Amino acid sequence: MPGRRAPAAPVDHSLCRRCQLSEPAITVRTEPLCAACFSRYVSTKVVKRMESFRVRHLEPGDERVLLLPLSFGPCSTALLHVLSHQLKGQAEKTSRTGYKLHVLHVECGNAATDSLLSKVRERYPEHVFSSCSLSDVLAVDGVPELFQQDPSSGQLEQEQGGSSPQGSLDSMFASLNSPTARDDLKQILIQKLVVAFAKQNNCEAVLWGDSATRLAERTLAETAKGRGASLPWVVADGDMLYGVPFYYPMRDLLRKEITAFASYVEPALEDIIVSEAVKPAVSTKNTTIDDLMKQYFESVEQEYPSIVANVVKTTSKLQATSLQGVETQCELCNVPLDGQAPERSRLCYGCIRTLPHLSS
Amino acid sequence: MPPHLCQLCNTARAQVLRPKNHARICANCFIATFERETAETITSSNLFQPGERIAIGASGGKDSTVLASVLKTLNERHGWGLDLVLLSIDEGITGYRDHSLDAVKRNSVEYDLPLKIVSYEELYGWSMDQVVAQVGKKGNCTYCGVFRRQALDRGAAMLGVAHVVTGHNADDVAETVLMNLLRGDLPRLSRATSIVTSTPRAGQPKASLDGQPAAVSFTNVKRSKPLMYAYEKEIVLYAHHKKLDYFSTECIYSPEAFRGSARTLIKNLERIRPESILDVVRSGVDMAKLVPDADGNCKGACGSRKATEIEVKHDGEEEEEAGGGGCGSGNGQETGGEMAEMEKKLLQDDRAEEEGTETHISMPVKAVNGQRHDGDEKVGPPAAALVGEANGQGHDRHKHPPMSTATTVPIRTKQEKKAGRRSGRDAPPPRQVLGQCERCGYLSSQAVCKACMLLEGLNKARPRTGIEVGSAGG
């Protein structure tokens, strides 16, 4: 019907489904969108997750600081970008912001991150930036004891004698019997370090960049590592196993969507992103459980994106055990030990699998 | 490199590398260990009563053959006094079932255990070959799964046995855990790892009825999985070293996408870290405790806890059986696989939510039923989901009033009356106000159980008189 624009105007499938003005750049769950509409879609999804940190929730004179751990991967970098944008908008509209960001980079041995950090700092000068090394975790309360208390790790202590924290961290990792265990321990130590840092710097919560895909991977990976009991804390927003609540503002977005988003941002985010080299699935010898789940969901994400999202949604419905009245928690991962560990163990089953020589 | 010696006896050559702890042991020590561990599982979870009659769900495959052999051995060794029988289901799949049934028959002779075979044909009037001819290869697993669940119960009732053991192994359970995570089915996730899944009237009242096996109705049969902590690999090794006679084959019809996907994952996990299979099982057990609305979901596993009405419902209706009862790909749609279908459904849900066109028909029920219906709603055919919700309301407290008029085609059989009388009135029903299928009397949260619904669909296309639903007399 020419000349009349009914609300149900026929959709031009060659144009962006939302604005009907530009060529679509990407198909989001069967909806073709142009780059601009897609970017709006991404920001909306993230901002929606930040509800509890809106300006109007801020008491006058109060200051809320949130910690954003930045790995320079596409997800955490994109999160930083979107939130910076949101804060800028808030500042323009209300001349104040609902929260402030403290960005922390944890160095895990790959060198060239110094220059990246200064680039990011240049681009988003409004935030506070810090960096620390993973070996700093050895200064966190309880961590050194954890690795030295056991007599069987005596030789570990000797090797460490006088060497640098990095050296002792390296030998600790070297003492583990599988790549999966190393991967697992590294993730836990990063979390511990981030939490300790957040507490020291009065950060109210931690904002992780995990995408829906990553959370789905972690759901299955933690299950396979015998850590099913800790899943509610892994995937739910606002829960705290370590005393500081975790949030996952990117939880409604797939990894491929975030990667695409990062490539559309102007000026490009690419020179501040370290893309992980995709490990080909050659030998299972060096593949970790996390790698396996990553490969698996990479393919599921292509064909069945909603199933990925549904895994996360479902897992978030699991109810965390209340930490009140819990007598003992795993010394490594903090999960309550009642019923999750052999009698008189300091570690939960999952952590015993990772650190079998420290399990007594 | 010199051959390793067995770590247990230090004399014989090690032939087996155990996946769960990397121990290298000899064949004899392995067999002894395997049997000891199975016995431990059985005794630590109080699986059997002394003198209990047990039907072994025997398919002729490795798992059930090993189960029969181990149970026979342990029963004699420990003097449990169990009365063991073999129970086989003949789905009527030519080229698959006939050979494996031969294996069961040979086992029956060898172990001197009586054998009962019940066929889909005699129970439902349809063999799987005929079903497949009618609905095609896609989606027929739903029929098979739903039918099998009931068939085992009916077969057990015919034998007067109230307890069926199945050969599900650790790999199967782990697979089910991952599968239910993938398809977002929390209720089944919470059941997947219980070693006993029991229907409400099984268990407690049984004790007083001991010695009257004839009183077993097919609605109070209890299920358990004594091998749920045994690796599939070890089951194969046990069968190999004991030189058991089994028939190894996969069903010739299509496997489910979700299960297939989970199976591949489990196999890869095992390659990376063999312990992870039992770790998944452990995670499943732990997660079951975290499923909302599932307090006391340890159900059979720790017996006495209140088995809430809601939980038990589905238990009677369908199970996490291999071959997936009620996986919902039902009604033999010709469109893509199960995963594709779920993807489509989820997308529609998403869109409805975004556009605000969603109609929450089931809101008031939600509070009561919680997650219970989720799985079915999500994947089930829309019509079925609606029926479920509508009835759900009435069912929680009352016996179902004769709901629908048009859909009820009362084919009253002898069985129905019997079942109704016995389990409906005789059994002391404190909180067990559980719905029963109007037609066959099987446990159901809906007016008509899933099997009868599927049958109705099938029978519509094949006009026949005198269809016998559940001709299985007690």
Side-chain angles (χ1 to χ4, degrees):
Chain A
M1 275 173 274
R4 184 141 53 107
R5 282 201 58 161
V11 177
D12 185 341
H13 290 285
S14 65
L15 293 177
C16 166
R17 183 71 54 83
R18 300 210 172 165
C19 64
Q20 288 282 293
L21 295 172
S22 328
E23 298 260 312
I26 184 173
T27 302
V28 179
R29 314 194 189 180
T30 71
E31 217 181 359
L33 296 181
C34 67
C37 286
F38 173 65
S39 299
R40 209 168 302 130
Y41 165 87
V42 170
S43 322
T44 318
K45 289 271 184 200
V46 176
V47 169
K48 208 170 112 196
R49 282 285 162 190
M50 297 295 292
E51 280 281 293
S52 41
F53 302 106
R54 285 166 65 165
V55 179
R56 71 157 99 116
H57 298 315
L58 186 74
E59 302 285 324
D62 218 5
E63 191 176 69
R64 309 177 87 175
V65 184
L66 307 181
L67 186 66
L68 192 157
L70 180 69
S71 68
F72 300 114
C75 295
S76 56
T77 310
L79 177 62
L80 174 62
H81 180 82
V82 172
L83 294 183
S84 303
H85 209 74
Q86 185 203 13
L87 291 176
K88 217 168 266 171
Q90 287 180 349
E92 278 164 18
K93 258 185 260 166
T94 64
S95 76
R96 57 190 196 135
T97 57
Y99 58 93
K100 290 194 162 48
L101 282 183
H102 191 148
V103 180
L104 170 69
H105 174 68
V106 179
E107 280 166 46
C108 304
N110 15 7
T113 53
D114 277 357
S115 65
L116 278 174
L117 194 63
S118 55
K119 270 190 210 166
V120 177
R121 207 190 289 255
E122 244 165 65
R123 182 157 178 175
Y124 307 101
E126 63 274 29
H127 311 307
V128 181
F129 287 85
S130 303
S131 79
C132 59
S133 156
L134 183 55
S135 56
D136 293 347
V137 78
L138 293 172
V140 171
D141 263 2
V143 175
E145 293 84 340
L146 183 61
F147 294 103
Q148 287 165 10
Q149 214 168 330
D150 193 82
S152 70
S153 65
Q155 97 275 23
L156 190 72
E157 226 173 327
Q158 279 168 11
E159 280 168 35
Q160 289 167 7
S163 73
S164 64
Q166 186 59 48
S168 38
L169 193 70
D170 288 346
S171 55
M172 185 196 298
F173 276 108
S175 71
L176 299 182
N177 58 10
S178 74
T180 298
R182 282 190 277 273
D183 220 6
D184 192 48
L185 180 65
K186 186 172 143 191
Q187 285 181 40
I188 293 174
L189 291 183
I190 289 178
Q191 283 190 2
K192 267 184 142 34
L193 182 57
V194 165
V195 166
F197 186 91
K199 284 178 179 164
Q200 267 167 26
N201 292 275
N202 297 318
C203 298
E204 192 185 315
V206 180
L207 306 175
W208 296 97
D210 299 40
S211 59
T213 317
R214 173 72 189 130
L215 291 176
E217 286 163 24
R218 288 196 64 194
T219 296
L220 290 210
E222 301 298 313
T223 304
K225 289 188 263 183
R227 297 185 182 280
S230 64
L231 274 180
W233 290 294
V234 172
V235 296
D237 261 357
D239 276 335
M240 43 177 155
L241 186 55
Y242 293 98
V244 177
F246 287 179
Y247 287 86
Y248 304 95
M250 310 289 263
R251 62 183 304 129
D252 294 326
L253 295 160
L254 300 171
R255 179 177 289 128
K256 63 174 182 183
E257 290 168 352
I258 297 170
T259 317
F261 170 79
S263 71
Y264 296 148
V265 170
E266 306 244 350
L269 284 179
E270 261 132 21
D271 58 334
I272 50 171
I273 288 179
V274 185
S275 334
E276 283 172 62
V278 182
K279 269 193 221 166
V282 264
S283 92
T284 49
K285 193 95 190 160
N286 292 314
T287 311
T288 67
I289 288 178
D290 288 88
D291 290 339
L292 172 70
M293 295 309 171
K294 191 167 177 191
Q295 288 157 13
Y296 175 71
F297 278 106
E298 209 163 70
S299 65
V300 178
E301 188 185 50
Q302 293 312 318
E303 266 185 272
Y304 310 113
S306 305
I307 287 181
V308 177
N310 194 46
V311 170
V312 181
K313 221 195 247 168
T314 314
T315 317
S316 328
K317 286 187 198 156
L318 293 175
Q319 285 166 345
T321 334
S322 160
L323 289 180
Q324 280 181 333
V326 166
E327 278 175 22
T328 45
Q329 285 169 281
C330 172
E331 291 184 18
L332 182 55
C333 77
N334 278 31
V335 81
L337 285 185
D338 318 332
Q340 318 294 352
E343 252 178 277
R344 298 201 301 132
S345 167
R346 301 149 57 206
L347 301 179
C348 67
Y349 280 109
C351 289
I352 292 175
R353 193 65 86 211
T354 291
L355 302 170
H357 55 292
L358 294 184
S359 61
S360 67
Chain B
M1 199 165 91
H4 289 275
L5 282 185
C6 169
Q7 291 176 4
L8 293 179
C9 63
N10 276 316
T11 45
R13 188 173 61 87
Q15 282 174 282
V16 174
L17 176 61
R18 299 200 71 195
K20 70 195 273 186
N21 56 11
H22 305 281
R24 290 172 195 277
I25 54 180
C26 69
N28 284 334
C29 287
F30 167 70
I31 287 171
T33 309
F34 185 90
E35 288 166 357
R36 199 188 61 241
E37 288 181 356
T38 309
E40 273 165 19
T41 306
I42 290 169
T43 45
S44 70
S45 48
N46 284 325
L47 228 45
F48 305 132
Q49 306 297 316
E52 195 176 356
R53 289 200 86 190
I54 309 285
I56 302 168
S59 66
K62 59 182 174 5
D63 300 306
S64 56
T65 305
V66 166
L67 180 61
S69 163
V70 171
L71 282 187
K72 164 108 178 151
T73 309
L74 292 177
N75 191 29
E76 283 163 9
R77 183 179 302 160
H78 298 289
W80 287 339
L82 300 177
D83 183 3
L84 301 171
V85 289
L86 297 175
L87 172 60
S88 288
I89 307 296
D90 184 0
E91 295 95 341
I93 304 177
T94 318
Y96 163 62
R97 198 38 107 204
D98 32 10
H99 296 295
S100 50
L101 279 179
D102 287 344
V104 180
K105 285 173 192 156
R106 290 194 298 271
N107 285 329
S108 164
V109 175
E110 197 186 326
Y111 302 141
D112 189 24
L113 297 175
L115 165 67
K116 167 83 186 168
I117 301 176
V118 281
S119 72
Y120 281 9
E121 177 92 54
E122 74 179 281
L123 285 178
Y124 307 107
W126 289 81
S127 70
M128 273 315 287
D129 282 342
Q130 290 168 322
V131 171
V132 171
Q134 177 103 351
V135 306
K137 289 203 174 187
K138 294 264 165 67
N140 67 74
C141 284
T142 308
Y143 290 81
C144 200
V146 170
F147 287 174
R148 183 183 300 114
R149 165 84 205 178
Q150 288 203 8
L152 270 176
D153 288 353
R154 287 171 194 275
M158 289 180 199
L159 292 165
V161 178
H163 189 166
V164 176
V165 291
T166 54
H168 290 98
N169 58 39
D171 298 52
D172 295 332
V173 175
E175 193 178 295
T176 309
V177 169
L178 291 195
M179 179 179 75
N180 286 322
L181 278 175
L182 285 175
R183 61 179 187 192
D185 192 337
L186 288 185
R188 284 214 187 89
L189 178 70
S190 76
R191 282 200 310 269
T193 47
S194 347
I195 190 161
V196 180
T197 45
S198 129
T199 44
R201 293 176 198 85
Q204 309 103 336
K206 261 299 68 185
S208 58
L209 293 175
D210 253 353
Q212 301 167 36
V216 174
S217 134
F218 67 101
T219 56
N220 62 8
V221 176
K222 152 174 151 189
R223 293 290 188 87
S224 60
K225 322 188 249 275
L227 295 182
M228 74 169 269
Y229 295 110
Y231 276 75
E232 182 172 285
K233 264 195 180 149
E234 298 206 339
I235 287 174
V236 174
L237 286 171
Y238 184 86
H240 171 77
H241 289 295
K242 290 270 281 188
K243 302 194 172 53
L244 301 185
D245 178 7
Y246 67 92
F247 187 79
S248 129
T249 181
E250 295 271 314
C251 177
I252 52 172
Y253 296 132
S254 60
E256 290 172 89
F258 278 111
R259 188 169 283 282
S261 196
R263 185 167 297 172
T264 316
L265 268 179
I266 289 291
K267 293 291 166 225
N268 287 331
L269 274 176
E270 189 181 17
R271 243 171 262 148
I272 294 176
R273 186 196 258 180
E275 299 94 319
S276 59
I277 289 185
L278 278 181
D279 288 347
V280 171
V281 175
R282 168 176 298 286
S283 286
V285 171
D286 291 342
M287 281 187 269
K289 298 175 197 144
L290 308 176
V291 172
D293 291 346
D295 52 340
N297 52 42
C298 46
K299 283 186 305 270
C302 54
S304 59
R305 278 287 198 89
K306 52 168 183 182
T308 56
E309 194 187 323
I310 302 165
E311 263 163 286
V312 167
K313 268 184 201 168
H314 277 250
D315 234 79
E317 222 178 328
E318 63 218 327
E319 216 198 12
E320 66 292 336
E321 209 72 52
C327 67
S329 61
N331 300 2
Q333 292 98 329
E334 54 293 324
T335 48
E338 196 196 9
M339 283 180 108
E341 236 160 73
M342 176 154 172
E343 172 70 23
K344 225 166 73 189
K345 176 75 171 60
L346 287 170
L347 255 179
Q348 283 168 358
D349 287 356
D350 272 2
R351 202 157 301 147
E353 204 176 312
E354 255 159 49
E355 293 166 5
T357 51
E358 198 174 29
T359 37
H360 283 278
I361 305 170
S362 55
M363 279 318 280
V365 185
K366 274 275 157 37
V368 182
N369 269 3
Q371 304 302 320
R372 287 297 131 187
H373 277 286
D374 266 7
D376 293 339
E377 270 174 90
K378 251 174 220 140
V379 290
L386 279 178
V387 172
E389 287 304 331
N391 284 336
Q393 286 184 351
H395 269 286
D396 287 321
R397 292 286 156 259
H398 330 274
K399 288 251 164 186
H400 38 266
M403 274 285 309
S404 47
T405 42
T407 51
T408 346
V409 187
I411 313 169
R412 297 208 132 227
T413 61
K414 225 166 56 187
Q415 175 61 39
E416 184 193 357
K417 285 180 212 144
K418 263 192 205 158
R421 185 169 29 111
R422 227 176 253 137
S423 32
R425 272 154 237 163
D426 290 2
R431 56 182 169 251
Q432 290 148 349
V433 207
L434 178 82
Q436 285 188 315
C437 174
E438 287 175 357
R439 301 190 194 167
C440 69
Y442 198 74
L443 299 169
S444 171
S445 55
Q446 302 168 21
V448 174
C449 77
K450 211 149 190 167
C452 286
M453 263 171 32
L454 292 177
L455 273 179
E456 186 178 306
L458 286 172
N459 288 335
K460 256 184 202 150
R462 180 167 79 176
R464 259 176 139 215
T465 46
I467 308 140
E468 290 232 315
V469 180
S471 57

